[in-house]
Amino acid sequence: MEPDSPIDNGRKAIRTETFPDGARIRVGWWRPSSETGQTAVLIHGRTEFLEKYAETIGELTARGFEVWSMDWRGQGLSARSLANRQKGHIDRFDTYLNDLAHFLTDIVPGTAPPVILAHSMGGHIVARAILENRITASRVVLTAPMFDLPLTGLGRVAAETIAKAAVTLGLGNLYAPGTGDYDPDRDRFDGNALTNDRTRFNALNAALRENPDLGLGGPTLGWVSAAFGSIKELRTVSSTPGVPTPVIVCTPLSDTVVSVTAQSDICQNAGWEQRRFENARHEILLETDSLRRDFWMAFEDFVA
């Protein structure tokens, strides 16, 4: 399916942009009610899409930020590369890095570096881009960044070996073991890894039921192999950080989607500030009101 039709009402615009390699990427823009000259760029995690962040975007514009965001290639309503659009696939994470640099340099307007708010996989990509001096930002806020996958020991060795071998054999487009197409009927609040807030959990699922084309299944073996390679790159570059951009990492301590330990390690290596959120699951921005209040206090203190 092609990305959605353009929308522009003067306060909100959603359109598609053709990126340098020809990929059609869905881009969103939101204008605050009172202009402050501040820009925030919202960078999604894996499987995510513009609609998921409606509440967050509203909170940013209420704080005077002009907000820009995009659906990563291969998810949301951006172009998907495989015949089965449910498969979460990428050839290498440098493709994401190139997309991010193009988005910030050639699409997001303005001369002053923006504040970047990035989640999970998006946090990983932004962290690498900052450390490798590919992008500039005035401040960077990372929530539950995917600095590593929650795999250790023989399980990690097996996952990395299988994924690498599959890519070598031309099987990188296959789903990673144990994953498949997105099935909304399997989403249950009880025991979910994303949030303690039932209302926000249900709202996310309602958005996916309303537009099933937003859904994304599991990652391919190619994505897994690319992720492991990029994790190694991040660990290497974090030990020799470049231009000192202020970065804060917001770590939900009950997260089981990405590695919590790796966030502490990278922060120590790069000299970044870390805020820990007790009882928070992976999606801090979809958490309970009290946890979200704590996050926005940290955000405002850091950005101010």
Side-chain angles (χ1 to χ4, degrees), residues 154-201:
L154 292 177
R156 183 187 184 89
V157 173
E160 191 169 1
T161 301
I162 290 170
K164 186 174 181 179
V167 172
T168 301
L169 294 171
L171 302 175
N173 290 358
L174 297 179
Y175 270 124
T179 71
D181 289 356
Y182 172 70
D183 182 0
D185 293 331
R186 292 192 302 185
D187 281 336
R188 298 286 185 273
F189 175 75
D190 293 335
N192 85 88
L194 302 181
T195 175
N196 292 288
D197 191 283
R198 185 183 294 271
T199 300
R200 292 186 173 96
F201 180 86

Side-chain angles (χ1 to χ4, degrees), residues 104-132:
L104 290 172
T105 303
D106 298 311
I107 295 176
V108 177
T111 56
V115 171
I116 296 179
L117 171 57
H119 177 62
S120 196
M121 183 189 79
H124 172 107
I125 296 163
V126 168
R128 269 195 63 188
I130 285 290
L131 290 166
E132 295 172 11

Side-chain angles (χ1 to χ4, degrees), residues 71-93:
D71 289 351
W72 286 115
R73 69 171 63 217
Q75 62 191 58
L77 294 182
S78 288
R80 303 196 184 188
S81 59
L82 302 183
N84 181 356
R85 62 178 282 108
Q86 286 283 320
K87 291 183 175 181
H89 181 72
I90 198 69
D91 53 349
R92 57 194 184 116
F93 269 46

